[in-house]
Amino acid sequence: MIYDTLLARSFSKHDQKKLGYGALAACFLVALSFFTVCNPSLGPLPLLNLRLSKRGEQEVFGVNETSTLHMARDAEIITNNTLAISNASGSARSVNEIKVQGPLMVNATSSSQQLATDVVTKNEKMELLCNIKGRSEFCEIKGDIRIDGNSSTAFIVSSETDILAAENTSWSIRPYARKELVGIKDFARKWSVKLVPDHPDIAHCTRNHSVPAILFSVGGFSGNYFHAFTDIIVPLYATARPFNGETQFLITNNKSWWVARFKTLLGALSKYEPIDIDDRHNIHCFKSLTIGLKGRTKKELNIDPSTSPYSMKNFRQFLSRSYSLNTTTAAQIRDGNKRKPRLLIISRKRSRAFTNVGEIAKLAESLSYQVVVAEPGPDVPGFAKIINSCDVVMGVHGAGLTNIVFLPENAILIQVVPFGAGWSSRVCFEDPAKDMNIRYLDYKIGVEESTLTQQYPAGHVVLRDPSVIAKQGWLAFTSIYLHKQNVTLDVDRFRPTLVKALELLHQ
């Protein structure tokens, strides 16, 4: 009543009517703002958009800047490739604490999911996709990326200063594609991927680059030829090949001898000289970065074509082009054909060496093989040409057999399996050979063909039951069966294996 009296004294009836409408609108806006802030289910909060997807057996999450995180009470929902999360209080959790729990509800229309992904790719200023499960760790990033070798950090700078969730949000990655071992101290340098707002004290670019970057480590087991291929070169091919040479390699844990050894392959994958990213004098800036390598599968020396646009056949064709290898298919021996099949015996100077190479070569020559004996060395292009010229390769289980990647199609691998080493022989070379369309034979030596009999007395557990040593751990096992053992082949017992290889070449 008092309110009406004051209005009558101060305003005309027309003005009172206008003021009443204005007051009503103001009350409505206040109420709407109150319920929007207090009840997250009524509207979006301007935080981060998280996308969860599956690539084969790898689970990844993605973060997109300037999008909206829709909060759903006690639920985690995927709609059009957007993950919405909340906890019981309705407050957002930080990105690096997110875990998927319970069933995921996915939009049933695959085309709408694809559309949502396309829109994110075209319209967002920043995009982050990180691997959280699998045999390798990696992040794919687009945006304002500044790489500081001094702090081992890839900063993703956002111009959206109101994105509070981006403050101090970071991920740790060791960019070496053997995740089961990256926790070992000093195995590979650890890098941080950090979302930061745009502040004046953020690292300033000293070198700008116009092509995407791939950051990877040549630490770990890179000195071993087998691991150089299965841990680095094959995943690097799967990661870099889509760029068709237009990518900059950034190498951490750099080893100049390693880069020199594989210079031909690195040059075939990138048109630019690799950069030692541990050099602390520059801040390198990119618009696109992959940190870590993709494509590593459960199998060694393998690319899974169901999760990659490439296969091991593509990889081997790439090797042939890179090293100018001329032989594409192993010889097919016909009756009356005077051409002798070419047999390479891979020799070793240290452990798992043949002690009677001459006897083995004499046996092979008596069976009409043309025999070559060679040991792999730092000259990768040279040895690639030797092995590519052969129809059959044989050697004791070891890193030198990795060179089967250079064999022509339908060639034959004969793996001589040391006493006690059946499991590693199958995983490292038998399974990969079959995936490469290389025909496989093996010869498991008897204990009497092992030089371990000269080091341990008859009946010793090492000779009686290798599984007992295996239970003591991998280091205990390898220290005996891989590092202390040489092989003296029983040529009479081995003869049928060479005959079988000849039969295969006649098929």
Side-chain angles (χ1 to χ4, degrees), residues 355-391:
T355 63
N356 59 337
V357 172
E359 264 190 289
I360 301 168
K362 186 176 180 180
L363 167 65
E365 287 170 348
S366 73
L367 295 172
S368 299
Y369 282 102
Q370 179 187 356
V371 178
V372 178
V373 179
E375 181 178 16
D379 181 11
V380 177
F383 199 81
K385 285 182 168 59
I386 291 173
I387 198 166
N388 179 251
S389 69
C390 294
D391 307 298

Side-chain angles (χ1 to χ4, degrees), residues 203-347:
H204 294 284
C205 303
T206 60
R207 289 189 63 183
N208 287 286
H209 303 266
S210 60
V211 296
I214 298 174
L215 191 158
F216 63 97
S217 170
V218 297
F221 296 137
S222 62
N224 177 283
Y225 193 70
F226 170 78
H227 285 284
F229 268 87
T230 194
D231 295 358
I232 302 175
I233 293 172
V234 173
L236 180 61
Y237 167 81
T239 306
R241 192 67 189 93
F243 295 101
N244 197 30
E246 291 296 331
T247 183
Q248 174 68 63
F249 290 156
L250 310 176
I251 300 179
T252 185
N253 303 112
N254 186 45
K255 297 179 177 68
S256 57
W257 60 264
W258 193 96
V259 173
R261 189 176 196 183
F262 297 107
K263 181 179 180 180
T264 300
L265 295 183
L266 295 177
L269 288 171
S270 171
K271 298 176 182 177
Y272 308 91
E273 283 294 318
I275 292 174
D276 181 356
I277 199 60
D278 296 337
D279 177 9
R280 306 186 178 191
H281 296 95
N282 285 294
I283 304 298
H284 294 270
C285 295
F286 296 86
K287 295 299 181 184
S288 175
L289 168 68
T290 301
I291 179 168
L293 299 176
K294 304 183 291 180
R296 182 155 159 72
T297 70
K298 285 185 176 181
K299 293 183 177 181
E300 304 294 348
L301 292 174
N302 181 264
I303 299 173
D304 184 356
S306 69
T307 59
S308 170
Y310 305 102
S311 66
M312 282 305 290
K313 181 176 182 178
N314 299 136
F315 176 69
R316 287 182 4 98
Q317 290 171 342
F318 161 76
L319 294 179
S320 293
R321 290 192 302 271
S322 301
Y323 288 118
S324 301
L325 305 179
N326 298 321
T327 308
T328 57
T329 307
Q332 190 172 21
I333 308 300
R334 301 294 187 187
D335 292 337
N337 190 337
K338 294 182 179 181
R339 181 189 183 283
K340 292 183 177 181
R342 190 172 166 90
L343 168 68
L344 170 65
I345 301 175
I346 295 182
S347 63

